[in-house]
Amino acid sequence: MSLRIAAGAVSLAAMLGGAGVLLAQARQEIHQAAPEEASTTFAPGDSEWRFYNNSADGHRYTELDQINTATIGAMTELCRVRVGGPGPFSSGILMVEGRLYVTTRLSTVALDATNCDVLWKSNYVPEQAEVFNTHRGVAYADGVVVRGTTDGRMIAYDAVSGQEKWRTRAADPTVGEFFSSAPIAWDGKVFEGVAGGDWGIQGRVMAFDLRTGEKLWSFNTIPGPGEYGNDSWPGDSWKRGGGGTWTSYTLDPETGELFVPVANPAMSFVGDARKGDNLFSNSVLVLDARTGRYRWHYQTRQHDTHDMGVTSPPILVTLKDGRKVVAVTPKDGYLYLIDRKTHKLIYRVAATTIANHEVPPTVEGVRYCPGIYGGSEWSSPAFDPVNQTLTTGQTDWCVTIKRMDPLPAYNPGSLYMGGKHVMDKDSGGWVAAFDAKSGKPRWKYKTPAPVVSGVTPTSGGLTFVGDMGGTFYAFRSSDGELLRTWDTGGAIAGGVISYTAGGRQYVAITSGNISRSSWPQASGIPSVVIYGLPREKAAGVTAGDSGKGRSLYGATCVGCHGAEGKGGGGGPMLTGVTARYSPAGLTDFIKYPRAPMPALYPSVMSEQDVADVVAYIETLK
């Protein structure tokens, strides 16, 4: 069963776990920042984000430039809303007709895309024991949103009201099958694959009728007898071959090709009983979206013993020379470019630390990089057509795997792994951009925490991305210069999108994720945060007075930033800061500071005080 909560007092009260929560308390806990007045009109010229990766081809690029390299200093948090209790939150975000759609393990939520208001929320009550606790979003088409569940159901909701339209049981959780990936919809169909490769399932991908939920076709990602590729599995090892899918998918509407990322084979870390290439594990698998028939594949790693499957959606790119290619970043830490005509590899380049990829795990243990959490986890590279770059977020975290002795027997519904892992103490990540045609590095930025979020380049010359430490970044796309950061208060493990509503550009992200106890720095309550440029100044605020600002600066700021902003007290120098930040950006820094800078607004400084201090800082050359 599911519990649907409509907009209003009941929805707000239920956000934190039940109708018994008082409305006032819910409002206080949900809205961490006061939302601005929402635009009530979604204009025909406004832009949306209708797929997990923005478009069916997966580029993630958006042709929006209201927020750009000149105005990024003024971008500020407009609102945030909690969408669930502590737990995993790696959902992509869709924006359609002014509504944001996200999922948690059991909830599907629709939000106003301008002010974080909850429009509806449906809480699913599992019908069987759940296999795992993570989920990555919905598909949208024709007024319907569709998701899978962690106990193997597919559910469709009316996109406006949240009313359930149909439900289909399509996977068997008793053997480890479940749905975690964000499906995609096209041509009246919804495409979804079964997760649970590490439980020893036989993976498959399916198409469902968007109107009724009827299963239209199914294709085994681990082929059985009589199917192409079964000879790469000795004996009956195919029955437990893994090959799950657990992120999302890509589609070419012109050719009708569905691109499916297939993860690792089972048993994990040991290949003794499954000698051979083990198709279609670790592959970009291409199917006819209308019929489910095999078209072609590219396998990034044969006979994988390191858990380095293809887990992020491929993206489809047309290079300047006209070649149609596929770009993909598996967990092995490389960026691959594959020719769609010849199905051959064009290049493979390292995007993070690589070590001992070809050394099978031993009883004594083998350390290899990246470890079992990527490389790339569930988010694709992004294609920037202006700079002709492919940009990827990566995990830089090594692992030691010790092969089990004796090996465990297969037990339906239990993890089917032949090794135990110990992650390195130190971890980090990368944001790396490569020339799309040659694969040559353009720029790289080392992050203090793994990067598993979406990567989003814009026409405004910016690339947005977040890390598992909760830092949200804005880079200049052309050269990778870091222009801004925001501390979001929670690990960023899901969507980073941009769109317009009422003629105004917004950036929405997920924040707050505790999906594995071993993720370093993972913290926070699952929340959606919306950023944008400030509206007009508050009523009654006049232009800043630098004389008054000088006096206020002396009373509150000089101890850290020094006389005339020259530093010396532990804070950064402020001389020349106006060359990098606009007045609105400086205002944002003072009103919403990052530690260790103290919060002075509004308890110590008024809106007018802040304007006066900014006016004084502008005089510091």
Side-chain angles (χ1 to χ4, degrees), residues 1-3 105-106 123-131 149-155 157 164 166-174 179:
M1 63 177 290
S2 64
L3 173 64
R105 162 180 152 249
L106 297 176
N123 294 323
Y124 173 67
V125 178
E127 298 174 335
Q128 290 181 271
E130 300 170 85
V131 180
T149 72
T150 47
D151 66 343
R153 275 63 175 171
M154 294 291 291
I155 305 179
Y157 301 97
E164 184 173 324
W166 53 258
R167 183 182 303 194
T168 299
R169 179 178 176 178
D172 184 0
T174 66
F179 295 119

Side-chain angles (χ1 to χ4, degrees), residues 281-534:
S281 67
N282 301 68
S283 294
V284 176
L285 173 63
V286 186
L287 305 176
D288 186 308
R290 294 183 174 88
T291 65
R293 292 175 181 167
Y294 168 83
R295 288 202 177 179
W296 62 278
H297 76 280
Y298 182 86
Q299 191 173 32
T300 59
R301 187 169 294 265
Q302 294 78 34
H303 193 71
D304 176 25
T305 57
H306 290 67
D307 190 6
M308 290 186 170
V310 179
T311 54
S312 63
I315 69 169
L316 311 182
V317 174
T318 300
L319 299 177
K320 278 192 171 181
D321 61 10
R323 280 184 297 171
K324 294 183 180 297
V325 297
V326 181
V328 66
T329 49
K331 288 175 67 178
D332 65 7
Y334 289 99
L335 166 66
Y336 293 75
L337 197 74
I338 305 154
D339 191 300
R340 288 182 59 187
K341 182 178 180 180
T342 66
H343 311 158
K344 303 295 185 182
L345 180 68
I346 298 173
Y347 61 72
R348 184 184 78 161
V349 293
T352 186
T353 302
I354 307 291
N356 286 335
H357 272 198
E358 309 305 327
V359 182
T362 64
V363 173
E364 295 74 23
V366 171
R367 179 181 180 271
Y368 66 89
C369 312
I372 60 174
Y373 301 153
S376 179
E377 278 283 319
W378 46 80
S379 290
S380 303
F383 177 62
D384 181 340
V386 174
N387 294 291
Q388 288 291 298
T389 52
L390 290 163
T391 306
T392 176
Q394 294 280 314
T395 293
D396 193 352
W397 196 11
C398 304
V399 68
T400 297
I401 295 290
K402 293 185 178 182
R403 174 180 167 138
M404 294 181 185
D405 185 21
L407 294 174
Y410 171 71
N411 181 24
S414 299
L415 286 170
Y416 189 48
M417 293 183 171
K420 295 182 179 180
H421 74 274
V422 178
M423 303 302 299
D424 279 11
K425 180 179 179 181
D426 296 327
S427 66
W430 292 99
V431 182
F434 299 86
D435 183 278
K437 181 178 180 180
S438 68
K440 293 180 179 179
R442 288 279 191 87
W443 56 265
K444 292 182 73 176
Y445 182 89
K446 179 69 171 177
T447 57
V451 178
V452 299
S453 80
V455 179
T456 301
T458 77
S459 186
L462 300 169
T463 295
F464 293 108
V465 67
D467 72 17
M468 288 291 279
T471 301
F472 182 41
Y473 301 87
F475 296 96
R476 187 162 56 201
S477 300
S478 60
D479 59 9
E481 181 178 344
L482 181 60
L483 301 180
R484 284 288 306 276
T485 62
W486 298 261
D487 184 353
T488 70
I492 305 172
V496 173
I497 74 170
S498 190
Y499 54 89
T500 52
R504 186 183 186 195
Q505 184 180 354
Y506 298 86
V507 178
I509 70 168
T510 63
S511 175
N513 174 77
I514 308 174
S515 58
R516 293 179 175 133
S517 60
S518 55
W519 276 111
Q521 302 146 302
S523 62
I525 302 298
S527 304
V528 171
V529 187
I530 297 178
Y531 295 86
L533 298 178

